[in-house]
Amino acid sequence: MEYGICNLTIVPLRADEAHRSEMVSQVLFGEAFEIQMKSKEWTKVCMIADGYTGWIQNGQFLTLNEMQYQDYLSLDKEYVGFEGGFLTNDEFRIELLHGAVIRKDFAYLNDRRLKQFVVPHAPIDQTSFQLEVSLLAKRYWEVPYLWGGRSKFGIDCSGFAQLIYQSFGHALPRDAYQQAELGHTVDFLSEIENGDLAFFDNEQGRINHVGILLDSETIIHASGRVRIDSMDQEGIFNKELNKYTHKLRIIKRYI
């Protein structure tokens, strides 16, 4: 089995082996994956963190054998905080975005010196998590929506939820409908706690949207841009459009 590690700031994960193919997600620096198939210009991969599959252009990652990969896993893992940072030496500098993975002293850095990074501390209790997740989510306010995006330069609804939860050591799947299959159901709006996730469905009953609840009446979510809207038992109400834009299906708690 061969593995790979993203060694660039952020690269697209595509549905097929072509630049014109849909970007289904993005891979951040330091994230690892299994290599499933290779072609002349592209490699099909399966992400280790969430099992998501797609194609990455060759030249946008480093290949590891089994022994190198196990060495990589044995090192302590830290996530870069919202402020970001960079890796640098005398010749170049690689920017690190929020959510990038740092494993210190691994040989793949090729003597690159870790110059600066910010790592969020895992919360010590539920109250701490609720406060910190809300503060971090609000840092993404007005970030543009991008299908498949996972960064402050563009993000989609499920990528937003996944990235925020990941920052506190809680792994979520990539897509909203997958995220909705986990956690514990919150039955009443009055029982909502900030940090809970609300899921919404389309006319066919398929879950197609997710947002992070700031309280029982307010949600932050990526729709056109990362925005804060009001929510009730019917769904999300957009004051700018003066209408409900998303129909509430279920609320889940993971912590």
Side-chain angles (χ1 to χ4, degrees):
M1 177 70 72
E2 281 189 313
Y3 300 87
I5 297 174
C6 179
N7 63 335
L8 301 176
T9 300
I10 189 169
V11 301
L13 184 68
R14 299 196 179 277
D16 206 350
E17 48 185 318
H19 289 293
R20 64 180 178 274
S21 179
E22 170 191 8
M23 185 178 77
V24 294
S25 191
Q26 291 176 313
V27 186
L28 294 165
F29 181 93
E31 291 187 321
F33 43 83
E34 293 181 1
I35 293 176
Q36 296 185 328
M37 185 185 307
K38 293 182 178 180
S39 68
K40 183 178 180 180
E41 298 183 8
W42 297 84
T43 296
K44 187 177 183 181
V45 306
C46 177
M47 299 303 301
I48 298 297
D50 57 20
Y52 221 61
T53 60
W55 292 83
I56 295 180
Q57 185 182 14
N58 295 340
Q60 295 187 336
F61 62 91
L62 292 175
T63 302
L64 304 179
N65 60 32
E66 180 73 33
M67 185 170 63
Q68 291 170 326
Y69 175 66
Q70 293 303 324
D71 181 32
Y72 180 73
L73 290 185
S74 70
L75 301 173
D76 291 337
K77 176 173 65 176
E78 296 175 322
Y79 291 109
V80 173
F82 183 83
E83 292 80 1
F86 53 90
L87 291 172
T88 184
N89 64 13
D90 293 335
E91 299 178 358
F92 59 83
R93 159 173 159 159
I94 296 179
E95 184 176 2
L96 301 178
L97 301 178
H98 173 217
V101 179
I102 295 295
R103 293 184 188 264
K104 294 182 181 179
D105 302 322
F106 189 61
Y108 84 97
L109 294 177
N110 296 323
D111 297 325
R112 297 173 189 171
R113 185 161 47 90
L114 184 62
K115 188 72 174 180
Q116 174 187 339
F117 66 99
V118 180
V119 179
H121 296 288
I124 58 175
D125 55 35
Q126 173 73 356
T127 302
S128 176
F129 170 78
Q130 292 171 350
L131 174 62
E132 294 301 323
V133 75
S134 296
L135 292 174
L136 181 57
K138 289 177 181 177
R139 301 290 295 273
Y140 277 83
W141 189 33
E142 299 294 331
V143 166
Y145 180 90
L146 175 65
W147 179 269
R150 294 181 62 226
S151 83
K152 63 183 180 180
F153 300 116
I155 200 162
D156 64 24
C157 65
S158 56
F160 180 47
Q162 184 188 51
L163 193 61
I164 296 300
Y165 265 71
Q166 173 186 284
S167 300
F168 301 98
H170 302 295
L172 292 181
R174 179 62 179 87
D175 288 337
Y177 77 92
Q178 297 171 319
Q179 296 170 359
E181 294 172 353
L182 306 178
H184 305 284
T185 301
V186 178
D187 294 317
F188 303 100
L189 294 183
S190 60
E191 297 177 349
I192 286 174
E193 296 176 354
N194 58 335
D196 291 343
L197 296 187
F199 295 91
F200 308 83
D201 57 19
N202 58 19
E203 294 179 353
Q204 290 73 44
R206 178 179 173 82
I207 290 175
N208 65 346
H209 192 65
V210 60
I212 301 171
L213 289 161
L214 302 178
D215 56 45
S216 62
E217 299 178 343
T218 314
I219 188 169
I220 183 168
H221 64 124
S223 180
R225 64 184 188 276
V226 176
R227 52 183 299 125
I228 297 175
D229 287 311
S230 59
M231 193 196 78
D232 58 26
Q233 59 186 3
E234 184 172 345
I236 296 176
F237 186 80
N238 185 316
K239 292 182 179 179
E240 296 171 4
L241 301 176
N242 194 33
K243 68 175 185 179
Y244 286 94
T245 56
H246 299 82
K247 181 166 68 75
L248 180 63
R249 171 73 170 271
I250 196 170
I251 298 169
K252 288 294 190 79
R253 182 172 302 152
Y254 301 87
I255 307 304

